[in-house]
Amino acid sequence: MTVSVGICAFNEEGNISKLLESTLEQEVVTVEIVEIVVISSASTDKTDSIVEEFCKIDPRIKLVREEERRGKASAVNLFLGMAIGEICVIQSADTVSTPSTIEEMCLPIVEDPKIGAVGGNPKPVPGGSFFLDFASSFIWHLHSRVSAKHPKLGEISAHRNIIDSMPIDATSDDTYLEYAITKKGMGLAFAPKAVIFNKGPSNFKEYIEQRTRWRGAQIKLGMDTGYYSSSSKQFLVNAEVAKYCLLRPWTIPLVFPLCLIELYCIRRSSRMLRRDPNSFNVWNSLTSTKKM
C-alpha cells in the first residue's frame, strides 16, 4: 500500500532536519512512501529553507506554506486535501522516527481490513529537570498502557485515506480522526513497536501550558462531538496510575504531586473554555520542546 506522510510544522528549525532524515531512512517492506508533505504554518525561522534543501535531495518531499497560523486542524486539512497515498501518516514535527516506525504504523492496516487507524508509541528523551523528565516519562507510560488496551491516536498516527477534512475548530486533530474513523465503522489499533522520540518541556511553566492545552483540546472536542479518547477517560488512567504505584511504590512522592498538577490543568482548561470556546484552536509554541 502507498503512504503519504504529513508533517505539520511551526518554527521547527531545531528538529525538522532530524525528522526528515529519519523519515528518508525508513525501512519499509509492506508499504511504499510516495510523498512526504511538510505543512509550514507561517514559520518565521529557517524551517522553510531547511525543507527546501531536502526537496532538492528527494522529490517525494514537498513544502506547503500556510501564510497564517489557523491551528493544527487547518494544517492537517491541507495535507488531507492533497494526500495521494492509500494510508496517511500524520506526525508531529518535534519528533524523530526509528527506522521501522512507518512500517510498524501501517502493518495493522495492511493486515486487517477492519482497522481504520493506528496510534504509535512516543518515547520522551531527557533534557529537563529530574522531576519534569520523570513527568514526561510517566505521562507517556500511561499513554502506552492505556493505548495497549483501548487504542488511541497521538503524536504519530496512520489512517486509511478516507477522511477528506475535519472542522477547522477541531482542537485535537488526532482525537477527531479517531472519532471520524470509528463513525465509519472501522476499528483502531495500537502499534507498540512504532516508536517515535519527542522531548517534554524543560521548565515548569511550559509543562503546565502543555498539559492545560492537551486537556482543553480533549474537553472541547468531547463537548462538540460527544467522543472522548481513552486517555481522557479518567477511570482508565486512574487504574494505570494505581498499578504503576503498586509496582513502584518509591515513585509515589513524585506521582502524587503530578496528579495534583493534572487536576489543576483540567480545571484551568475548563475555565479557559468557559471564557472563550476557541481558547485552544491555535496553540502557543513551547520553545523548550523544539530541540531534541
Side-chain angles (χ1 to χ4, degrees), residues 144-162:
S144 63
R145 294 288 298 175
V146 171
S147 296
K149 300 172 184 175
H150 307 276
K152 67 176 295 295
L153 308 185
E155 295 288 276
I156 184 171
S157 66
H159 71 273
R160 295 183 188 274
N161 193 355
I162 55 175

